[in-house]
Amino acid sequence: MNLYEQSIANYQRILASTITVMEKGASYFKEQGIDLNDIVEMRLADDMAAFPFQVNSVMHHSLGAAQGLIKGEFGPPPAT
């Protein structure tokens, strides 16, 4: 197995899965009459980061990891 198969292909699957979950969530909230803007700052637990940070983390740990492979360094996502 090459580096692409061990990394980039996996990140593509994670991003595709994340998009699917977000689309299903958007559909659910629309059916329930809940404005998506109302959930942006929601948290599943009091001590967890808000939804935008969770989405940015998925992006950071895929795109950021791919960039880290190229640069040879990787760090945590910025706290936004």
Side-chain angles (χ1 to χ4, degrees), residues 39-51:
I39 67 158
V40 170
E41 292 301 320
M42 287 179 77
R43 300 162 191 257
L44 295 176
D46 291 337
D47 63 346
M48 80 182 280
F51 184 66

Side-chain angles (χ1 to χ4, degrees), residues 53 56-65 67-68 71 73-80:
F53 178 82
N56 287 333
S57 292
V58 172
M59 180 189 72
H60 179 76
H61 288 97
S62 52
L63 176 60
Q67 291 170 335
K71 293 178 184 177
E73 59 184 49
F74 181 77
T80 55

Side-chain angles (χ1 to χ4, degrees), residues 2-48:
N2 64 32
L3 183 58
Y4 178 87
E5 293 169 333
Q6 293 179 3
S7 58
I8 304 303
N10 186 48
Y11 304 143
Q12 288 174 325
R13 285 190 298 274
I14 291 169
L15 289 172
S17 297
T18 301
I19 289 167
T20 298
V21 168
M22 291 177 70
E23 288 172 342
K24 287 182 179 187
S27 176
Y28 172 81
F29 285 118
K30 184 177 179 180
E31 290 171 6
Q32 300 301 311
I34 300 170
D35 185 346
L36 291 178
N37 291 315
D38 293 342
I39 67 158
V40 170
E41 292 301 320
M42 287 179 77
R43 300 162 191 257
L44 295 176
D46 291 337
D47 63 346
M48 80 182 280

